[in-house]
């Protein structure tokens, strides 16, 4: 799995570099490339592996993987802005607005979102109907009922009178990070015109487990390991899976979710080995 | 033409309201709807009229018109932010970040961009290949080589050592406002799978004339008429078509561009009457 992840990382970086090769030179292009560098590339991995389940090769899945990572990169750049989460460190480097300016960060994020949708039109992905289904799916996952809505809930929670309860945190995270993870994990089924149901179940459980592990690392991890500021949630007195369930309760919950994620993959047999391993990796990672 | 513009306004507002009907209630949805209210709807008009040139009805063109207006609305919300143009008045109302917050303005803009791309997948637009061509076209027009690049150039010009010359201002505006106007005006040809060349020529001239008139109104117009702050360019000592050509020179240039825009429409005969009238309207408007 780690080997495949490394392979995906290299491929998706090349695809993103290629997609941005024609940009006019300047701060905007520099900031876009900077934002698309590094990262775990878990979403790209999900897209590439889900395509494999349906016999679709890397060439078909690569623009989809690059699109998801461009979309994800834009969301990080905007979430890090002073008026949002106000983060100065990301992937071990200064965030885009620190490195350049708020204006450049907003614009780079905006252009990366445009780029993501453009990538989904690449002919190598497959039949036009499949590409349109991906565009529609990304629009839903990214927009005002998906990722952006989740971020809006997160911002609103900061000034709410009472901390969120478990149901509210779960709903928030399913929108904020879950929707895009689900888009990535179901991409292969959408490309092949098959039922995305089992992959959606897998992704829902995986996405929550991923977020719980993020909350755990915010408490137990170091900035050197995670490449971002830690201890922020506790300092902000923010409700998280850890504050609601305790450290051990959160770990138990994440393990149960990973088991459910693996079970959802039973429909695909041996071919889903890498996706199973990814689910376990998600809660074992320390970064 | 004015009658048709009124009809388009009503239709596109209904389409946008419909597209946002399913959003979860809250500040984000409120801000998205607020940003999509009012405006001249010139881009929607261009999309609807260019579709008519190729025998395509309003039902087919309407999601495209709504997409362009959603994209345009997002760009205004982000351009108005304090770290960008820092405007507090738009369409006669407080800008989104004044009415709510910077975070909500950034998120509402982000979600409107997602919405725009989703609208272009609507089956009523036509064959899948046509819809994909629109998605690709909007991605190009909106992104790091189009509208966002133009805004980046505009921001950079504010801190540049010397004011921009005519060639630089023209290039900037062709990206910042011209690219989306061109997308809208060529949409009908793209939907019909026909040569968008003449419409692109029309749009290029129209877009520049439109911008020159905006620069003129910034000097001669009142806030009551335009619904936005005027006199900003002069106060910022910003190079504009008026500062470079003088008021009369700018008016002459706009008139010449409108003549060229009309000439480009000769290929379409009588059917392009509304587009011809729009070109004249663009330089006669006082708002």
């Amino acid at each position: 799995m780690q080997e495949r992840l490394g392979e995906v990382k290299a491929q998706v970086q090349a695809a993103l570099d290629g997609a941005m090769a024609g940009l006019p030179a300047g701060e905007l292009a520099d900031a876009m490339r900077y934002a698309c560098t590094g990262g775990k590339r878990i979403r790209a991995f999900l897209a590439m592996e889900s395509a494999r389940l349906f016999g679709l090769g890397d060439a078909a899945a690569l623009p989809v993987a690059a699109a998801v990572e461009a979309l994800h990169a834009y969301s990080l750049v905007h979430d890090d802005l002073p008026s949002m989460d106000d983060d100065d460190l990301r992937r071990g480097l200064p965030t885009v607005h620190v490195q350049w300016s708020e204006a450049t960060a907003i614009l780079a994020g905006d252009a990366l979102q445009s780029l993501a949708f453009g990538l989904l039109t690449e002919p190598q992905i497959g039949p036009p109907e499949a590409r349109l289904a991906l565009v529609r799916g990304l629009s839903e996952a990214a927009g005002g009922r998906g990722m952006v809505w989740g971020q809006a809930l997160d911002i609103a929670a900061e000034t709410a009178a009472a901390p969120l309860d478990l149901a509210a945190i779960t709903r928030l995270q399913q929108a904020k990070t879950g929707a895009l993870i689900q888009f990535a994990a179901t991409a292969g089924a959408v490309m092949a015109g098959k039922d995305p149901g089992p992959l959606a179940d897998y992704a829902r459980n995986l996405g929550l487990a991923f977020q719980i592990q993020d909350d755990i690392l915010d408490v137990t991890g170091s900035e050197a390991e995670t490449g971002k500021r830690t201890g922020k949630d506790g300092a902000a007195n923010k409700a998280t899976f850890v504050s609601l369930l305790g450290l051990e309760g959160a770990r138990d919950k994440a393990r149960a979710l990973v088991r459910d994620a693996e079970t959802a993959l039973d429909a695909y047999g041996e071919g889903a080995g890498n996706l199973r391993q990814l689910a376990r990796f998600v809660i074992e990672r320390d970064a």
Side-chain angles (χ1 to χ4, degrees), chain A:
Chain A
M1 196 278 287
Q2 288 292 350
E3 193 183 321
R4 174 68 172 153
L5 192 53
E7 194 178 282
V8 166
K9 268 188 194 179
Q11 282 183 299
V12 82
Q13 191 63 55
L16 286 165
D17 291 345
M20 292 187 283
L23 292 174
E27 252 186 40
L28 176 66
D30 291 345
M32 289 171 71
R33 292 195 185 96
Y34 181 88
C36 283
T37 308
K40 293 181 282 294
R41 303 299 193 198
I42 284 173
R43 291 157 190 81
F45 182 89
L46 289 168
M48 306 277 278
E49 284 296 313
S50 79
R52 275 200 174 179
L53 289 181
F54 300 92
L56 301 168
D58 286 358
L62 196 50
V64 184
V68 180
E69 292 293 340
L71 203 294
H72 177 54
Y74 123 64
S75 77
L76 297 180
V77 173
H78 282 193
D79 287 1
D80 287 340
L81 284 165
S83 60
M84 303 263 239
D85 300 345
D86 195 14
D87 271 306
D88 58 356
L89 196 66
R90 168 73 66 182
R91 294 172 178 173
L93 294 169
T95 46
V96 174
H97 66 272
V98 170
Q99 186 73 7
W100 286 277
S101 66
E102 277 185 59
T104 294
I106 293 166
L107 292 171
D110 288 344
L112 285 170
Q113 179 169 194
S114 305
L115 182 75
F117 283 101
L119 279 162
L120 294 180
T121 67
E122 291 289 328
Q124 72 202 65
I125 294 171
E129 286 291 8
R131 286 180 271 154
L132 280 171
L134 291 170
V135 171
R136 178 178 290 265
L138 187 62
S139 169
E140 283 289 319
R145 297 201 281 192
M147 187 183 79
V148 170
W149 182 49
Q151 176 67 3
L153 290 174
D154 206 10
I155 299 276
E158 278 171 27
T159 54
L164 300 185
D165 62 16
L166 198 58
I169 284 274
T170 303
R171 195 177 60 224
L172 184 165
Q173 293 300 348
Q174 272 172 339
K176 182 174 172 173
T177 57
L180 192 60
I181 286 175
Q182 189 165 322
F183 171 81
T186 57
V190 172
M191 289 165 71
K194 304 287 186 188
D195 174 25
L199 282 170
D201 287 345
Y202 164 78
R204 220 170 2 253
N205 289 298
L206 179 82
L208 269 185
F210 186 89
Q211 186 57 46
I212 293 175
Q213 185 67 13
D214 255 10
D215 288 353
I216 292 170
L217 289 174
D218 188 68
V219 175
T220 66
S222 72
E223 283 164 22
E225 282 167 336
T226 61
K228 57 186 178 184
R229 298 275 176 239
T230 53
K232 281 200 66 174
D233 297 335
N237 217 2
K238 198 170 162 180
T240 69
F241 288 104
V242 173
S243 75
L244 290 164
L245 299 170
L247 205 49
E248 269 320 299
R251 283 191 175 122
D252 288 345
K253 176 78 181 159
R255 277 191 288 264
L257 286 164
V258 165
R259 278 194 299 274
D260 289 347
E262 291 188 75
T263 304
L265 294 174
D266 286 351
Y268 305 109
E270 288 303 303
N274 276 340
L275 290 174
R276 277 193 198 88
Q277 277 191 55
L278 177 74
R280 293 192 291 271
F281 165 74
V282 150
I283 58 167
E284 285 160 10
R285 71 198 160 94
D286 54 13

